[in-house]
């Protein structure tokens, strides 16, 4: 057992200090639920990355099956039931369902059939069923939901990143510089937050049009106020601390004090804020794409898949809805619980 003092009067042994990030990682590993959610989110990230580079899900737009091909287990059940019933097909002799003596053009049809091999167009045989079913165009729903995961995570990640950058920059300027700059930015913040979020989001989307880049820009421009308020409050609290005054005394510029001395001390809050924003922006992207203001028609996301669901449900085809709900619920739930665990792990007050 190591002692802090080897002999009487000797200086105590130095205890290695650990940073906030190291302590947070240790706390997160002790949180079983949070650590499991971290692995789930990491798995979704790897899935999205593989889809984005074309390793999986690249054939999502290929029509590989018949329209509304059912999942394999449903198709097998229906096939077994049909065989057990012993249903017999109606007897037909000609293409019109008439007997030869009843068909007035039967002889001409038989003569024309002799030359049909010269004009045969090779027909691609489409699957009668897929593992998780197909949509109205016969596209594999599994490939679509994987590609949709990539699109939604791409929008959520870069939208949240840009939103945090905007909010942190404005909040740092308002909280550190104060006075007229703070008054102006607070006035702009109050005006911006006075309008309903969804109305502002739809207005931006309607003006900017559809597209992946447009969705990212629209979501980031409408989601920065929360980060701005958080960072402004932290900068007001930290700008009068001793380490900031010491940096000022040795001649450090305002930008250096803001982004080198103060900003690292609020970086853990920005990480938690980034996680919260990412979950929220994924949901907003789904809503926008469902309403027709989201990604382009040549792309697929969870929202564009859900926009096809009402027509499918009226006909009894539920498998596309089930796949989107399972993937989206698993990711959003894991991300939300991971955010709670990160907030607890990175809180300096937690021992």
């Amino acid at each position: 057992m190591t002692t802090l003092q080897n002999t009487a009067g000797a200086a105590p042994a130095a205890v290695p200090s650990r940073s906030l990030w190291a302590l947070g990682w240790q706390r997160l590993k002790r949180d079983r639920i949070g650590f499991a959610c971290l692995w789930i989110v990491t798995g979704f990230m790897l899935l999205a990355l593989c889809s984005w580079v074309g390793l999986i899900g690249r054939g999502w737009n290929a029509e590989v099956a018949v329209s509304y091909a059912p999942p394999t287990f449903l198709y097998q059940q229906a096939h077994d039931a049909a065989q057990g019933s012993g249903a017999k097909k109606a007897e037909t002799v000609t293409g019109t369902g008439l007997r030869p003596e009843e068909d007035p053009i039967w002889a001409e049809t038989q003569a024309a059939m002799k030359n049909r091999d010269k004009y045969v167009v090779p027909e691609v045989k489409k699957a009668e069923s897929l593992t998780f079913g197909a949509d109205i165009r016969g596209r594999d729903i599994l490939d679509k939901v994987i590609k949709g995961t990539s699109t939604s995570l791409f929008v959520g990640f870069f939208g949240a990143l840009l939103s945090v950058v905007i909010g942190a920059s404005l909040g740092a300027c308002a909280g550190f510089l104060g006075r007229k700059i703070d008054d102006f930015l607070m006035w702009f913040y109050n005006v911006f937050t006075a309008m309903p979020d969804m109305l502002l989001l739809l207005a931006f989307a309607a003006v900017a049009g559809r597209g992946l880049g447009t969705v990212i820009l629209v979501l980031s421009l409408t989601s920065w106020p929360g980060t701005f308020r958080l960072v402004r409050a932290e900068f007001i609290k930290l700008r009068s601390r001793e380490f900031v005054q010491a940096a000022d005394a040795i001649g450090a510029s305002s930008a250096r004090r803001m982004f080198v001395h103060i900003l690292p001390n609020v970086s853990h809050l920005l990480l938690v804020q980034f996680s919260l924003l990412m979950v929220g922006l994924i949901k907003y992207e789904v809503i926008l794409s469902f309403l027709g203001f989201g990604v382009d028609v040549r792309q697929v996301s969870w929202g564009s898949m859900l926009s096809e669901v009402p027509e499918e449900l009226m006909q009894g085809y539920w498998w596309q809805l089930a796949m989107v709900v399972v993937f989206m619920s698993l990711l959003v739930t894991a991300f939300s619980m991971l955010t709670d665990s990160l907030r607890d792990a990175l809180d300096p007050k937690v021992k």
Side-chain angles (χ1 to χ4, degrees):
M1 180 177 179
T2 304
T3 59
L4 296 180
Q5 190 171 355
N6 296 325
T7 59
V15 178
S17 61
R18 290 185 292 177
S19 66
L20 175 64
W21 298 104
L23 291 173
W25 176 248
Q26 293 297 325
R27 296 191 190 108
L28 183 61
K29 288 196 296 185
R30 291 196 296 266
D31 186 351
R32 295 183 179 181
I33 296 178
F35 199 64
C37 291
L38 176 63
W39 280 107
I40 294 175
V41 172
T42 303
F44 270 96
M45 292 289 188
L46 292 176
L47 184 70
L49 181 61
C50 292
S51 175
W52 192 258
V53 299
L55 295 179
I56 55 176
R58 58 184 175 182
W60 68 271
N61 206 23
E63 300 176 7
V64 296
V66 298
S67 180
Y68 293 129
T72 303
F73 71 95
L74 289 180
Y75 177 79
Q76 190 63 38
Q77 292 176 359
H79 182 69
D80 295 342
Q83 285 186 336
S85 63
K88 298 182 179 179
K89 295 182 179 180
E91 179 184 0
T92 57
V93 180
T94 68
T96 59
L98 301 176
R99 298 181 181 278
E101 60 273 12
E102 300 173 348
D103 190 352
I105 60 171
W106 183 80
E108 290 79 2
T109 303
Q110 293 301 312
M113 293 289 282
K114 296 178 181 178
N115 299 322
R116 66 176 180 176
D117 294 336
K118 299 179 182 179
Y119 309 101
V120 171
V121 177
E123 182 179 356
V124 179
K125 183 174 179 58
K126 295 185 177 181
E128 296 291 333
S129 68
L130 294 173
T131 306
F132 294 100
D135 62 3
I136 187 173
R137 292 173 53 188
R139 297 175 296 185
D140 192 346
I141 288 178
L142 180 60
D143 286 341
K144 285 183 66 179
V145 78
I146 291 175
K147 191 65 177 179
T149 302
S150 174
T151 302
S152 297
L153 275 175
F154 184 85
V155 171
F157 181 85
F158 286 100
L161 182 62
L162 185 56
S163 175
V164 167
V165 170
I166 295 173
S169 300
L170 296 179
C173 293
F176 185 82
L177 300 177
R179 298 184 180 179
K180 292 184 178 180
I181 294 178
D182 185 29
D183 293 339
F184 171 76
L185 291 176
M186 282 302 298
W187 170 82
F188 182 68
Y189 164 80
N190 290 327
V191 171
F192 205 84
T193 54
M195 294 175 282
D197 292 343
M198 184 55 65
L199 180 61
L200 189 63
L201 194 64
L202 292 176
F204 270 107
V207 172
R210 303 179 66 173
L212 197 59
T214 300
V215 173
I216 294 174
L217 184 61
V218 167
L219 291 177
S220 60
L221 289 178
T222 55
S223 58
W224 60 266
T227 307
F228 167 82
R229 184 177 62 249
L230 175 67
V231 173
R232 175 182 175 271
E234 290 297 318
F235 267 71
I236 291 175
K237 181 176 67 175
L238 295 174
R239 69 185 179 185
S240 59
R241 296 287 295 272
E242 291 80 3
F243 67 93
V244 180
Q245 294 178 357
D248 185 23
I250 62 175
S253 63
S254 297
R256 183 173 181 83
R257 280 178 284 157
M258 288 169 58
F259 299 109
V260 176
H261 295 279
I262 299 180
L263 188 61
N265 289 278
V266 300
S267 57
H268 62 287
L269 298 177
L270 293 179
L271 178 61
V272 174
Q273 185 69 11
F274 172 81
S275 301
L276 289 171
L277 281 173
M278 191 166 177
V279 174
L281 296 191
I282 288 175
K283 297 177 182 178
Y284 275 128
E285 184 277 326
V286 170
I287 295 173
L288 284 178
S289 297
F290 179 80
L291 297 176
F293 295 99
V295 298
D296 192 78
V297 293
R298 293 167 295 181
Q299 297 170 324
V300 63
S301 71
W302 290 338
S304 62
M305 293 179 68
L306 289 177
S307 66
E308 303 172 4
V309 166
E311 181 182 351
E312 294 176 351
L313 290 179
M314 289 190 295
Q315 303 178 62
Y317 306 123
W318 50 265
W319 33 89
Q320 181 161 221
L321 173 64
M323 286 295 292
V324 176
V325 168
V326 168
F327 270 68
M328 184 176 175
S329 300
L330 185 60
L331 176 62
V332 171
T333 303
F335 230 126
S336 299
M337 297 180 71
L338 176 61
T339 301
D340 294 336
S341 299
L342 283 175
R343 186 188 295 112
D344 296 337
L346 296 175
D347 189 351
K349 299 177 183 178
V350 177
K351 302 297 183 182

